[in-house]
Amino acid sequence: METVSKARSHGGIQGVYRHEAETTRCPMTFAVYLPPQAESGKVPVLWYLSGLTCTHANVMDKGEYRRAAARHGVAIVAPDTSPRGPDVPDEPDNWQFGCGAGFYVDATQAPYDRNYRMWSYVTEELPALVAREFPVDMERQGIFGHSMGGHGALTIALRHPERFRSCSAFAPIVQPSTAGWSKPALTKYLGADEAAWRRHDATALIEDGHRFPEFLVDQGTADSFLNEGLRPWLLEEACQKAGIGLTLNMREGYDHSYFFISTFMDDHIAWAAERLR
């Protein structure tokens, strides 16, 4: 593992790191914020999954999470959203697919199956590396994310309820199997058989019997993607039928940007920290 940069912030350390990933077969860069409490022992860890077109840097630069993370003594890990490099297949003119748009799945279709294995990367390889290299308590993990990353957080928590104590999301894609900006990507990554998509669709996972104790979701009412891509009411309906707790906050006038995310970041970290104690 290579240290790209380190900086002191709110008494802790914001670092950026790079390593050769076996799952994605390319170098992967990720960010870790260690709160000051990590100097004296292991701290709980909160995974943040970013959205379409993003890298680890978006939330690190614009998410404004370090003050709250330091206050609550929680480490924040921000992976990249996809494999990258000259040998990684891409559609440069399509921001909804390819580099920056891995959708947190393990692709089964050529040529994407060689590199686009983000599910295995964020659930297996990177956690093993983080547990080995940083003072984090892997018995106290939470996960959250934005948009495509919200989709990833929900599906990972539903399929690994024994691992995570908290899950929340900002403007998540709750039903990617029918959303206009994710359905084409799932087809290219996973093939035309929609039955294979259900393992990466939060509402379908709930319908199929997967459970998680509770979710927190914040969604802006002025989000231009609300009605076509996000549709949080579908998650609300699925959770109500399954008896899963859902706090859904519709935030009047907020859009899809990091201005929205940073406004409610403290709430999500405090909510997670309470469950990670």
Side-chain angles (χ1 to χ4, degrees), residues 94-157:
N94 182 2
W95 63 275
Q96 297 174 346
F97 182 75
C99 291
F103 279 92
Y104 303 101
V105 304
D106 280 352
T108 59
Q109 305 300 300
Y112 309 107
D113 54 344
R114 174 178 171 83
N115 304 105
Y116 287 85
R117 305 190 68 241
M118 289 302 295
W119 178 274
S120 292
Y121 178 70
V122 299
T123 65
E124 297 174 14
E125 184 172 5
L126 186 58
L129 176 64
V130 168
R132 186 169 64 247
E133 298 288 343
F134 299 93
V136 295
D137 183 357
M138 299 300 280
E139 296 300 316
R140 294 185 291 162
Q141 296 186 66
I143 190 166
F144 68 151
H146 170 231
S147 194
M148 178 185 73
H151 137 75
L154 293 170
T155 56
I156 290 171

Side-chain angles (χ1 to χ4, degrees), residues 11-13 32-47 68-77 127 130-142 165 272-273 275-277:
I13 296 294
V32 178
Y33 176 72
L34 292 176
Q37 294 87 340
E39 295 181 1
S40 57
K42 291 185 176 182
V43 295
V45 56
L46 190 54
W47 300 84
R71 181 186 310 125
H72 294 286
V74 177
I76 308 289
V77 180
V130 168
R132 186 169 64 247
E133 298 288 343
F134 299 93
V136 295
D137 183 357
M138 299 300 280
E139 296 300 316
R140 294 185 291 162
Q141 296 186 66
R165 296 191 185 183
R275 288 150 181 81
L276 296 177
R277 289 196 182 102

Side-chain angles (χ1 to χ4, degrees), residues 7 14 31 38 64 66 78 102 105 108 112 119 148 154 175 199 213 217 221 224 245:
Q14 177 65 68
E64 300 181 21
R66 281 170 287 270
V105 304
T108 59
Y112 309 107
W119 178 274
M148 178 185 73
L154 293 170
Q175 195 176 88
R199 288 169 57 80
V217 172
T221 62
S224 60

Side-chain angles (χ1 to χ4, degrees), residues 74-277:
V74 177
I76 308 289
V77 180
D80 201 348
T81 51
S82 73
R84 299 177 191 273
D87 298 324
V88 175
D90 189 18
E91 293 184 5
D93 297 328
N94 182 2
W95 63 275
Q96 297 174 346
F97 182 75
C99 291
F103 279 92
Y104 303 101
V105 304
D106 280 352
T108 59
Q109 305 300 300
Y112 309 107
D113 54 344
R114 174 178 171 83
N115 304 105
Y116 287 85
R117 305 190 68 241
M118 289 302 295
W119 178 274
S120 292
Y121 178 70
V122 299
T123 65
E124 297 174 14
E125 184 172 5
L126 186 58
L129 176 64
V130 168
R132 186 169 64 247
E133 298 288 343
F134 299 93
V136 295
D137 183 357
M138 299 300 280
E139 296 300 316
R140 294 185 291 162
Q141 296 186 66
I143 190 166
F144 68 151
H146 170 231
S147 194
M148 178 185 73
H151 137 75
L154 293 170
T155 56
I156 290 171
L158 282 163
R159 287 173 56 184
H160 294 284
E162 76 291 344
R163 183 184 302 185
F164 299 100
R165 296 191 185 183
S166 74
C167 179
S168 67
F170 302 99
I173 306 172
V174 305
Q175 195 176 88
S177 62
T178 62
W181 60 359
S182 48
K183 189 173 180 179
L186 293 184
T187 302
K188 294 174 184 177
Y189 287 138
L190 302 176
D193 182 4
E194 296 186 14
W197 305 357
R198 296 184 68 83
R199 288 169 57 80
H200 296 285
D201 183 308
T203 60
L205 285 168
I206 293 171
E207 289 174 3
D208 292 344
H210 291 264
R211 296 292 181 265
F212 197 78
E214 57 182 336
F215 299 114
L216 168 66
V217 172
D218 274 278
Q219 172 66 62
T221 62
D223 191 323
S224 60
F225 304 112
L226 176 59
N227 293 318
E228 295 296 326
L230 305 173
R231 304 170 296 168
W233 49 86
L234 298 178
L235 178 65
E236 185 174 40
E237 180 182 347
C239 286
Q240 286 176 348
K241 289 181 179 179
I244 296 173
L246 172 65
T247 300
L248 174 59
N249 299 314
M250 298 300 297
R251 303 297 189 176
E252 187 66 32
Y254 283 89
D255 60 15
H256 200 67
S257 72
Y258 269 89
F259 296 113
F260 155 64
I261 297 168
S262 63
T263 300
F264 301 104
M265 179 63 79
D266 283 13
D267 296 343
H268 282 244
I269 292 177
W271 191 85
E274 183 177 344
R275 288 150 181 81
L276 296 177
R277 289 196 182 102

